[in-house]
Amino acid sequence: MEKIDILSLKPEELESILVENGEKKFRAKQIFQWLHVKRVFDFEEMTDISVQLRRKLSDIFCIKGLFTAKRLESSIDNTVKYLYRLSDGNYVETVLMKYSYGYSICVSTQVGCKMGCRFCASAIAGFVRNLEPSEILMQIYETEKDSGIRVSGVVLMGIGEPLDNYDNVLRFMELLSHKSGNNFSLRHLSLSTCGIVPKIYELAELRLGLTLSVSLHCADNDKRSEIMPVNKTYNMNTLIEACRHYIEKTGRRVTFEYAVIDDVNSSDADADRLAALLRGMNCHVNLIPVNKVKERSYRTARAGVEEFAKRLGRRGINATVRRTLGSDIEAACGQLRRDAINNTNGGADT
Ligand code: SAH
């Protein structure tokens, strides 16, 4: 029988499995705290549990650990990037970033990505599978252990499309914020999506208090389809409608991510279109200089981002320019995993 992934279980689920196996209810909370509060991932180290029960636990359950395959620290800004190997040999990336208010962690939600955004390195290495809730959580727990800090912000902006792994991502958030466990406030979590419209409606119903970040990158429907194939399924207007609904339902401001790309989306006409699209909406625009991906020719001149922010400002749209962190360590998502795969393939392209 395959062992159960214990870190993906809610306390009440753990409780019913334990009771089925002849154990007392209260053990569930105790074990949940060993895992999510004390961060002990070896049943043998759970010292207030009898040796007999520890044996039983390791017969029924498994704890899927992460192995640090690579750890890169930026000499410019202390950003740390981890390449983690999962228990089945696949890789994901996690980035720890330092801001004035504390640390923020960027986690992956899938091994690879199906969305195929033209400028994104994650798309190049292809999609393999969804991450389990425990594997998303472990990126945080492992990184906190390694760095000795507690993160104050979590962003689901690593490899993968969170809304394409909806159930596992929801469960991850429930576990992360569980009162009997880590008790992390979802107000400090941002979920970034390329625009899986039906899931935005579902998420709105839950009113989780998180920040919804939408990777817009273009305000022209046809051009958006060229750089983001998802737009052919859920076009820009239906996406904006879903965002308006989300804002109305949750009372939360939506963030739009916009990677400024030379000759693609940064002209005066692009600023006009973006301003018209977002006028009157309770939103915020985050401009990002596009990260260079060696297989792609997309570029941004830094001045181009500042200039585009000014253009938007003149049109009444507030935009911030996101600081580029970890530029010396290939901190853009997907780049390390792609390199790891290429190396194990003897350098063959994937
Ligand atoms: N799939 C989700 C989350 C992962 S990508 C999404 O699309 O939002 C996280 C963010 O990085 C997205 O805004 C994505 O568009 C952006 N991104 C991907 N490749 C990039 C690159 N080369 N330069 C700048 N931003 C990039």
Side-chain angles (χ1 to χ4, degrees):
M1 202 181 72
E2 205 182 318
K3 292 188 184 181
I4 302 167
D5 170 15
I6 194 168
L7 204 67
S8 291
L9 295 180
K10 301 174 198 178
E12 60 275 20
E13 294 167 333
L14 185 53
E15 186 180 291
S16 65
I17 299 173
L18 289 174
V19 171
E20 270 167 37
N21 283 277
E23 295 298 330
K24 295 263 183 332
K25 262 183 170 187
F26 78 93
R27 291 289 180 200
K29 199 166 176 193
Q30 211 177 356
I31 296 166
F32 193 79
Q33 287 186 342
W34 273 113
L35 296 168
H36 296 270
V37 181
K38 295 180 199 154
R39 312 281 174 83
V40 166
F41 306 122
D42 182 346
F43 297 122
E44 283 310 311
E45 288 174 25
M46 300 183 178
T47 45
D48 56 2
I49 290 172
S50 71
V51 175
Q52 207 183 5
L53 177 53
R54 285 186 235 159
R55 293 279 140 76
K56 203 185 240 183
L57 291 176
S58 51
D59 284 343
I60 305 172
F61 301 106
C62 64
I63 301 174
K64 293 185 176 177
L66 296 180
F67 174 80
T68 307
K70 214 171 202 177
R71 182 187 185 282
L72 296 176
E73 188 163 348
S74 165
S75 52
I76 305 172
D77 51 39
N78 298 327
T79 297
V80 185
K81 180 154 188 172
Y82 298 85
L83 178 71
Y84 285 125
R85 196 165 66 232
L86 305 168
S87 51
D88 65 354
N90 278 301
Y91 294 98
V92 288
E93 293 173 25
T94 307
V95 185
L96 181 66
M97 297 159 291
K98 191 173 183 192
Y99 290 96
S100 53
Y101 57 82
Y103 286 86
S104 180
I105 190 169
C106 174
V107 299
S108 297
T109 54
Q110 296 180 310
V111 179
C113 188
K114 296 177 205 159
M115 299 299 133
C117 298
R118 298 291 299 153
F119 45 81
C120 180
S122 301
I124 295 165
F127 176 78
V128 178
R129 68 171 175 87
N130 283 328
L131 288 185
E132 296 298 328
S134 62
E135 292 172 323
I136 310 175
L137 267 178
M138 264 296 195
Q139 294 173 60
I140 300 175
Y141 293 175
E142 230 5 272
T143 304
E144 288 191 334
K145 199 175 222 174
D146 176 75
S147 57
I149 54 109
R150 278 295 161 113
V151 298
S152 45
V154 172
V155 296
L156 305 187
M157 286 194 187
I159 298 173
E161 168 49 50
L163 297 187
D164 186 44
N165 184 16
Y166 187 75
D167 293 345
N168 287 352
V169 165
L170 275 193
R171 182 176 275 261
F172 150 76
M173 293 194 292
E174 195 178 330
L175 290 167
L176 182 71
S177 60
H178 204 289
K179 294 271 182 293
S180 310
N182 192 57
N183 202 12
F184 184 87
S185 165
L186 295 181
R187 294 218 159 239
H188 303 296
L189 180 140
S190 294
L191 184 153
S192 182
T193 179
C194 61
I196 313 281
V197 167
K199 295 295 176 196
I200 294 178
Y201 283 98
E202 278 187 47
L203 195 62
E205 287 305 309
L206 303 177
R207 293 196 185 89
L208 294 177
L210 54 80
T211 299
L212 181 68
S213 228
V214 174
S215 301
L216 187 61
H217 300 318
C218 195
D220 175 281
N221 192 54
D222 292 340
K223 245 195 309 185
R224 191 169 188 269
S225 292
E226 276 171 33
I227 57 171
M228 301 180 71
V230 67
N231 197 68
K232 294 176 196 160
T233 311
Y234 306 112
N235 74 45
M236 199 182 69
N237 294 324
T238 57
L239 173 59
I240 296 296
E241 223 174 274
C243 292
R244 287 188 192 280
H245 173 84
Y246 188 90
I247 295 165
E248 201 180 289
K249 199 82 194 175
T250 63
R252 304 276 298 165
R253 190 171 80 161
V254 165
T255 297
F256 289 103
E257 304 289 332
Y258 197 101
V260 180
I261 311 173
D262 289 349
D263 306 321
V264 174
N265 62 4
S266 53
S267 69
D268 260 325
D270 290 308
D272 280 340
R273 276 192 284 265
L274 185 58
L277 193 68
L278 304 184
R279 187 149 294 129
M281 234 172 144
N282 183 16
C283 69
H284 179 80
V285 177
N286 207 355
L287 299 177
I288 324 161
V290 73
N291 279 308
K292 283 185 197 135
V293 173
K294 64 173 181 257
E295 292 83 347
R296 302 282 184 254
S297 58
Y298 297 118
R299 294 285 178 273
T300 319
R302 182 83 206 173
V305 183
E306 306 289 351
E307 181 51 37
F308 195 67
K310 281 189 203 143
R311 284 178 180 167
L312 289 178
R314 286 196 290 272
R315 290 160 175 83
I317 300 288
N318 263 328
T320 48
V321 176
R322 196 204 280 171
R323 263 198 312 150
T324 307
L325 292 175
S327 53
D328 54 335
I329 55 166
E330 294 207 279
C333 52
Q335 304 194 35
L336 283 186
R337 173 175 173 260
R338 174 207 58 199
D339 291 348
I341 295 172
N342 284 349
N343 288 340
T344 45
N345 285 353
D349 278 326
T350 46

